[in-house]
Amino acid sequence: MMTAINIFSGGQSQLREVAATIESDILPVLRTQQGFQGSRLYRRCDGIELVQCTDWDSLEAHDASADSAEVAMVGMRLAELLDSGAIEMYVDAYEMAASA
């Protein structure tokens, strides 16, 4: 299993828009992708950062989804926010090393 982590930072109103976009547009499409296992969205207590964690069967499944036209289309609103400078985004991927 691997987890992709997206970290969004910006103003509270922009991050509320990001959270709404993830919930209403992106997650329904991700649920249709092969190898997708689930997602969690965390909001930092001061409201200036969101962390989205998506779990996948493998890095290959994640990469195949990232290359899909469906995922690209629903990600366009986030791309608009990124291009406007309203939010910043950092992305990384982790493979599970241990579990308790």
Side-chain angles (χ1 to χ4, degrees), residues 86-97:
I87 61 169
E88 293 182 13
M89 180 179 170
Y90 173 78
V91 179
D92 215 336
Y94 297 85
E95 290 183 326
M96 185 179 296

Side-chain angles (χ1 to χ4, degrees), residues 14 27 77:
Q14 290 85 5
L27 286 178
R77 180 62 192 132

Side-chain angles (χ1 to χ4, degrees), residues 14-76:
Q14 290 85 5
L15 292 178
R16 279 193 294 274
E17 188 174 348
V18 169
T21 299
I22 289 170
E23 186 175 338
S24 65
D25 299 340
I26 295 174
L27 286 178
V29 172
L30 289 181
R31 288 183 187 108
T32 69
Q33 300 300 300
Q34 185 171 351
F36 178 74
Q37 292 186 358
S39 177
R40 294 167 312 285
L41 186 62
Y42 301 95
R43 183 184 329 272
R44 199 163 100 176
C45 292
D46 60 8
I48 62 168
E49 192 171 81
L50 288 175
V51 177
Q52 179 192 24
C53 303
T54 54
D55 297 324
W56 299 86
D57 288 340
S58 65
L59 180 60
E60 292 78 17
H62 171 266
D63 290 348
S65 175
D67 290 339
S68 82
E70 292 172 314
V71 172
M73 285 183 63
V74 297
M76 290 178 80

